Amino acid sequence: MIWTIFAVASVVLLGLSAGVFFGFSSFVMSGIARASDEAAGAAMNGINETAPMPAFMSVFFGALLVPAATGIWGLVDGHDGGVWILAAAAVYLVGTFGVTMALNVPLNNRLLAAHDKAAGWRAYWRPWTAWNHVRTLAGVVATALAAVGLL
């Protein structure tokens, strides 16, 4: 019973994380891009400044740690869904967490450091959004894998 609660928490955390990235891919970035380049860059810098707050970071890290621990626990205790939830954690680790750290965060840092904020935004938003699509897809796949682990 307790393992099932953690498995459900894994699905919820992965789904919340995927939803954040989906929102950025589906309307946030294109909405910001409607502003002037300088205003868009400033808005995104503001978002990047507030993102590492506890509400988002607990979901972002929780979506990695809870499924990883739950998957390992499931494998050790013989829960059939353990392998699926561990696979979800692996997909999230590479496709969401890894892409964030290796690609999106460095782009965020370059945007923040840009002397010409308008040019910084123009160089930033398309590659950042493309990598965000990867994070979104990985988050959705990870959520689906974890959900299968509950079946």
Side-chain angles (χ1 to χ4, degrees):
M1 177 66 176
I2 294 174
W3 184 85
T4 302
I5 292 169
F6 277 86
V8 169
S10 296
V11 174
V12 169
L13 287 165
L14 288 162
L16 282 170
S17 181
V20 169
F21 297 120
F22 175 76
F24 273 85
S25 281
S26 63
F27 62 87
V28 172
M29 292 305 285
S30 59
I32 292 172
R34 290 174 172 238
S36 70
D37 290 341
E38 189 170 308
M44 195 64 194
N45 280 333
I47 289 169
N48 291 334
E49 183 179 314
T50 59
M53 298 295 186
F56 174 70
M57 295 309 279
S58 62
V59 170
F60 183 64
F61 283 102
L64 175 60
L65 299 176
V66 172
T70 303
I72 292 167
W73 177 10
L75 289 176
V76 169
D77 276 0
H79 294 280
D80 291 337
V83 69
W84 291 98
I85 295 174
L86 190 58
V91 168
Y92 185 86
L93 173 64
V94 174
T96 302
F97 192 85
V99 167
T100 297
M101 297 321 216
L103 300 158
N104 291 89
V105 168
L107 286 166
N108 293 345
N109 292 338
R110 278 192 291 242
L111 177 63
L112 183 62
H115 296 293
D116 179 346
K117 298 302 182 187
W121 170 257
R122 287 190 299 274
Y124 169 88
W125 85 275
R126 282 190 175 87
W128 190 96
T129 303
W131 286 114
N132 193 69
H133 294 336
V134 172
R135 298 190 300 180
T136 301
L137 179 61
V140 169
V141 168
T143 303
L145 288 169
V148 169
L150 285 169
L151 300 177

